[in-house]
């Protein structure tokens, strides 16, 4: 079993930055793929960024590419999302996710194995 806990959300002005953290625990967390989803009222849940367990591959939704950076430190069982140049449309609850199949992050039915409780990010204009 894997447990995920997010932190680092908050209220920022347009153009500001935040760094989200995810602490993972459990026997399988060391070699599992991870990522970040977000959901805003009135919008469908979407994958924001994902990273393989080794860090070899990363993927970003088009709207955040060049502004957000996903990373992980497996020695600490931690994952991060550095968010720069934030925009109002980035406002959402951000969820840390983990799965043993990288492709599950991009499936429309949301077949993801593990979810955190979420952290709120609000960008004001």
């Amino acid at each position: 079993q894997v447990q995920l806990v997010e932190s680092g959300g908050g209220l920022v002005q347009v153009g500001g930055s935040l760094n989200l953290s995810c602490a993972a625990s459990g026997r399988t967390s060391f070699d599992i793929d991870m990522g970040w989803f977000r959901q805003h009222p009135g919008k469908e849940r979407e994958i924001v960024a994902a990273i393989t367990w080794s860090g070899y591959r990363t993927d970003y939704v088009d709207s955040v590419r060049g502004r957000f950076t996903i990373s992980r430190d497996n020695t600490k069982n931690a994952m991060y999302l550095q968010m720069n140049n934030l925009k109002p449309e980035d406002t959402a609850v951000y969820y840390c996710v983990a799965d043993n199949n990288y492709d599950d992050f991009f499936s429309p039915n949301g077949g993801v194995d593990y979810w955190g409780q979420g952290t709120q990010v609000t960008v004001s204009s």
Side-chain angles (χ1 to χ4, degrees):
Q1 187 66 45
V2 175
Q3 294 81 44
L4 305 172
V5 180
E6 306 96 332
S7 63
L11 174 65
V12 298
Q13 296 289 319
V14 170
S17 297
L18 284 173
N19 187 61
L20 304 184
S21 298
C22 177
S25 61
R27 292 179 59 85
T28 62
S29 62
F30 72 96
D31 63 352
I32 202 165
D33 302 321
M34 301 185 74
W36 295 91
F37 273 84
R38 68 184 180 187
Q39 188 164 29
H40 181 84
K43 296 182 179 179
E44 296 295 321
R45 184 180 62 198
E46 67 175 352
I47 183 72
V48 179
I51 186 168
T52 56
W53 77 268
S54 67
Y56 174 78
R57 176 177 175 176
T58 59
D59 290 278
Y60 299 90
V61 67
D62 287 344
S63 61
V64 310
R65 188 173 293 109
R67 299 188 297 120
F68 292 9
T69 302
I70 189 171
S71 62
R72 64 191 297 170
D73 184 347
N74 289 340
T75 67
K76 300 179 179 179
N77 291 327
M79 182 186 62
Y80 310 96
L81 185 68
Q82 178 64 47
M83 305 186 294
N84 297 324
N85 192 23
L86 284 161
K87 303 176 179 180
E89 53 263 41
D90 296 318
T91 295
V93 177
Y94 284 71
Y95 298 91
C96 176
V97 294
D99 202 294
N100 62 4
N101 185 350
Y102 193 73
D103 291 339
D104 283 348
F105 297 142
F106 310 98
S107 62
N109 64 356
V112 174
D113 291 340
Y114 305 103
W115 293 79
Q117 293 299 305
T119 185
Q120 177 71 49
V121 172
T122 303
V123 184
S124 63
S125 60

